[in-house]
Amino acid sequence: MTTSLKETVGRYGIWSAELRSEDPERRGELDEAAAELEELGYGALWLGGNSTADHAAPLIGATRRIVVGTSIQNVWQQGAARTAASFAEVETAHPRRFALGLGVSHGPLVEGYSRPYTAMTGYLDELDKAGVPAGRRVLAALGPKMLRLSRDRAAGAIPYLGTPEHTARAREILGEAPLLAPEFKVVLEADPARARETARAYLARYLGLPNYTDNFLRLGFSEDDIAGGGSDRLVDAVFAWGDEDRIRERVTAFHEAGADHVALQVVTPATGDTLPRQEWRRLAALLG
């Protein structure tokens, strides 16, 4: 019996845009970091940005068992034929080690953005014809329609920038069987002012993107919560910060809401510049 993606990713993973660097001089550093994350007990690595199988393949080759996924590959910028070919290459070399995470991005970021749900269903049609199994792909789904598509035509969903409340709603739509692996941001800082300052500086890039802000409104946040860099209420909902017990409780809340796996993104004042390897170690110890 083939092992499912849900069975192989474990309870925790790491989400990182830095791990997808295309700088060849950083290859050794990235491979070493991936190997350490595997030894620390994380079950999956999720590559941020418009990542592809080509970004995942070296990290898979540098490790023994950890799953590496795209979070996400932009369907507007990567053709389905090339995606299917890349998937087949990685799957042949490293069976069941790659997860194809797909998303429709955002209107302000994509020229000609139109009817994203239709674009995704058409993309999945092409992947089906090319033989990419539904059980090895997951969708960056936030709204109900895309969540239902994740249930019906993928292994599950990898929502980004959500809350435990969103996770509970997503689980209700998905049902019990599909993988639900939300991303969640962590600031390893106990001081409220410093933690929120770090969080707001990172959150700002997302508050102009309607897919996220619409989701916040569906979850009961107000326009005032979204304005001005985000209210304390919003920041505290989409970031974990505080002492170890508080951070552990916030992560656990996602599992209690129905998540199978939580993709943890460590955010620091230097996020985007360096790999937060010390913080990844601290987080692993905190989670036990």
Side-chain angles (χ1 to χ4, degrees), residues 9 15 25 31 35 116 122 128 144 164 180-181 186-187 236 240 263 279 281:
V9 295
W15 192 104
E25 294 186 0
D31 291 350
D128 287 344
L180 179 53
V186 177
V187 178
D236 292 353
E279 287 82 1
R281 294 171 194 137

Side-chain angles (χ1 to χ4, degrees), residues 21-46:
S21 173
E22 297 175 2
D23 182 353
E25 294 186 0
R26 297 192 64 199
R27 184 74 269 148
E29 176 192 13
L30 300 181
D31 291 350
E32 180 184 277
E36 181 182 20
L37 288 168
E38 180 176 74
E39 291 306 309
L40 287 171
Y42 296 107
L45 306 178
W46 300 96

Side-chain angles (χ1 to χ4, degrees), residues 27 41 43 48 54 101 111 164 171 179 193 209 246 251 256 260 272:
R27 184 74 269 148
D54 293 334
E111 185 176 354
R171 177 52 74 196
L179 171 69
L209 299 176
R246 179 173 177 176
V251 176
E256 292 176 342
D260 303 296

Side-chain angles (χ1 to χ4, degrees), residues 74-88:
N74 185 335
V75 300
W76 303 98
Q77 296 183 12
Q78 303 290 335
R82 174 56 187 154
T83 295
S86 297
F87 176 89

Side-chain angles (χ1 to χ4, degrees), residues 152-194:
D152 298 338
R153 301 195 58 188
I158 50 170
Y160 187 87
L161 199 59
T163 64
E165 291 76 18
H166 180 268
T167 295
R169 296 185 187 187
R171 177 52 74 196
E172 185 176 352
I173 292 170
L174 290 173
E176 183 178 348
L179 171 69
L180 179 53
E183 176 269 352
F184 186 42
K185 296 171 179 58
V186 177
V187 178
L188 292 169
E189 171 60 64
D191 179 78
R194 288 196 296 266

